Every structure is written in structure tokens, then in C-alpha cells.
Amino acid sequence: MMTRYSFGGDEHLFVECDEAMSLDAFFKSLSMTNAIRDAGIKGVTEICPANASFQIKFDPDLIKPNDILKEVQGIESAAAKTEPVIKTRIIEIPVFYQDPWTHETLMRFRERHQDPTASDLEYAARVNGLADVDAFIRAHSGSPWFVSMVGFVAGLPFMYQMVERAKQLQVPKYLRPRTDTPKLTIGHGGCFSCIYSVRGAGGYQMFGITPMPIFDPEQSISYLRDFMVFFRPGDIVKFKPIKQDEYDHALGEVASGRFAPLIRDVTFDFRDFQKDMTGYNAKLEGALA
């Protein structure tokens, strides 16, 4: 699909990179939004990237709609000729899979689920053709995920699995959304994983919970003092399964201000990744060792 441009009112330019979600569409969206940000176009006030598209807010008193369209189209043409490489970070996220809190919640809402007789993890394993829950957890935590966008509620990351399309885990959302989801639940809907930044309603399958805060409006947590939202598009996430004693210990570290996420700066080359996804993922994960 050719990139589709459209205006939203007098102040927004919407750019659709593809109709389908894919790593190619996501990376094109990310590359273009980074280039637009670096270009410092006069009149641009906000850039909002999404999974396969993005939106630009601009001041029409400073730049005319057709002028910003030409600027962005020029950036698209230039971006197509440059190496698809970004500077980003890989982050290890500890996850207590099959925890008692999300399990209690999912049992309260079984009448809204496709299979009221199974847990979310049991259902997810079955629809993905995996032998059991342990096999599904290995598949979920066995490869990294790209943060493709942050939103829906403040600080919530949507993540796209960095594997061949045929190997991507896919699980439908609940038939009817829940009215409750524990804070920091690891969720999954369609091909996307997420982390619920706050407690609230939701329709994604629930697989576990992390002790690591990702949103702090008070900015009292050490690694969130500069900005209340932890994730940004382009981050790479590696889930690490932990047991309850490790989860409890991490909660204590968070409460005492000693918890520090494991983060490493990395350079990501999309073309090299496409040539050997398994090998490239192993290289990325090696940065966390």
C-alpha cells in the first residue's frame, strides 16, 4: 500500500503507512516520526505515533496544511533512501505468570470469555496450537517485543512480537470487556501484548503481572522522576518469567526506592533483523546479560 495522507480538521495531518499491522509498517511509521521530530518543522506542536500510522498536530497560523503535507512527503521520500537504523533501548520486564491476582479476576469474568471452562493462558495455548501453558509462556517470553505505541490509557504500551509473522502469538480479546483489570497486568489482544499501567476496565487476555511500575503521575519512583511515563515507541521489551518470591522481593525494592529496571542502549538495524530474526534477537538479548 502507498502511504495515505489525510487532514483532520484544521490542525491535524494523519499518515497511514499500511492498512495491516506488520513490523514493516511499524518501522516505517517510527522512522518517519523520528525524522519529522529531528527536522524541527515550524508549526508542528505534537507527533503521535501508532502501530501502522501516525498523526501530526500543527499550528495553521504558522504553517499551511499543504505546506506541512509537502514537508512530510519529502521526509517520506528521503527516509526510503536511508538505512533503517534506530538508536533505542532494550528493557527486561519481570513477569509473574499465572499469578493469583489476575487469576482471581479472570475467574470473576468467565461468562464474558470465549471459553468459560479454561483460564486465559489455557485458552491462549490451545488457540495457538501449543501443548500447554508452560509452552505458551516460553513462546511469550522467548522473543523480544517492539513497543509500537503508548496510549489508550496513560502509559500503556502496545507491543508487537519480533518474530516471523507465522510465529506470532495471536489471541482474540474477551467477547465482552471486563470492568476490572489489576494494575500492571500483562495482557494480550489480537497480535499485541500490553501492560495495563493502571487498574481499570479491559478486554485483553490476562497472562500475569509485573512488579515494575510503568506510570507514576506523582513522579516519586526513582526512574520515573524525569517523566511519569516509562515507555516510548521503539523500545524493545524482553519478558523474564519470575516466581512469587521474586515478585514479592521486587515489590519490596520498589517500595524502598531501590528497584532499577535492567536497561541497555542498543542500535537496531531493521534490514539485518529481517535477514536473521532469531540470530538478531539473540544478539539483542545478549545486551541484557
Side-chain angles (χ1 to χ4, degrees):
M1 169 186 165
M2 293 185 63
T3 305
R4 181 183 298 159
Y5 293 86
S6 57
F7 289 104
D10 298 327
E11 300 180 339
H12 296 91
L13 175 63
F14 180 67
V15 184
E16 188 177 8
C17 297
D18 204 331
E19 292 180 346
M21 305 295 181
S22 67
L23 285 172
D24 298 72
F26 158 68
F27 202 84
K28 180 178 179 179
S29 171
L30 179 65
S31 298
M32 286 186 66
T33 52
N34 285 343
I36 292 165
R37 189 174 293 108
D38 293 342
I41 301 169
K42 182 180 179 180
V44 170
T45 58
E46 189 174 358
I47 304 168
C48 183
N51 298 316
S53 61
F54 59 93
Q55 185 164 275
I56 301 168
K57 184 177 182 181
F58 61 93
D59 184 342
D61 291 331
L62 297 178
I63 186 168
K64 295 178 181 178
N66 285 337
D67 290 338
I68 192 169
L69 175 61
K70 290 177 183 177
E71 291 271 10
V72 175
Q73 287 175 327
I75 286 173
E76 180 190 4
S77 299
K81 300 173 185 177
T82 60
E83 292 295 319
V85 177
I86 60 170
K87 299 286 187 182
T88 186
R89 56 185 184 167
I90 185 168
I91 306 148
E92 183 177 270
I93 306 294
V95 180
F96 180 16
Y97 290 94
Q98 302 189 85
D99 66 283
W101 305 284
T102 60
H103 183 77
E104 185 276 332
T105 303
L106 68 87
M107 293 306 293
R108 281 192 281 123
F109 293 95
R110 291 332 279 165
E111 80 284 356
R112 304 182 183 214
H113 196 273
Q114 291 86 345
D115 186 353
T117 66
S119 71
D120 290 7
L121 274 167
E122 289 167 341
Y123 172 71
R126 188 173 74 252
V127 299
N128 281 278
L130 296 169
D132 52 28
V133 166
D134 289 340
F136 183 87
I137 292 172
R138 287 194 297 271
H140 189 265
S141 62
S143 58
W145 300 70
F146 253 125
V147 175
S148 55
M149 63 175 285
V150 180
F152 180 67
V153 295
L156 184 151
F158 288 87
M159 294 169 282
Y160 196 84
Q161 198 172 20
M162 296 168 61
V163 295
E164 295 88 347
R165 194 163 194 136
K167 295 182 180 179
Q168 285 178 342
L169 298 172
Q170 299 200 40
V171 192
K173 296 186 289 184
Y174 275 44
L175 297 175
R176 289 188 295 129
R178 300 176 304 274
T179 57
D180 190 23
T181 308
K183 179 181 177 180
L184 298 177
T185 289
I186 308 302
H188 197 102
C191 63
F192 288 101
S193 189
C194 80
I195 304 175
Y196 284 80
S197 52
V198 296
R199 182 178 182 180
Y204 277 21
Q205 308 285 335
M206 296 183 289
F207 297 157
I209 198 166
T210 178
M212 177 182 157
I214 60 171
F215 173 63
D216 179 18
E218 303 299 324
Q219 294 181 246
S220 59
I221 295 170
S222 60
Y223 56 90
L224 294 173
R225 283 179 184 146
D226 291 335
F227 190 52
M228 66 181 70
V229 172
F230 178 76
F231 286 109
R232 51 187 184 242
D235 280 343
I236 299 172
V237 168
K238 184 65 170 64
F239 294 120
K240 177 187 177 183
I242 60 173
K243 303 297 185 183
Q244 182 156 5
D245 59 342
E246 297 171 287
Y247 175 84
D248 293 340
H249 175 75
L251 282 184
E253 294 288 286
V254 170
S256 65
R258 293 192 300 268
F259 184 87
L262 180 56
I263 305 171
R264 296 289 184 267
D265 292 329
V266 293
T267 298
F268 181 80
D269 187 314
F270 187 54
R271 288 179 184 162
D272 285 348
F273 169 74
Q274 288 179 307
K275 293 174 186 174
D276 178 15
M277 292 187 184
T278 301
Y280 200 90
N281 284 343
K283 178 182 174 182
L284 286 172
E285 293 164 22
L288 293 170

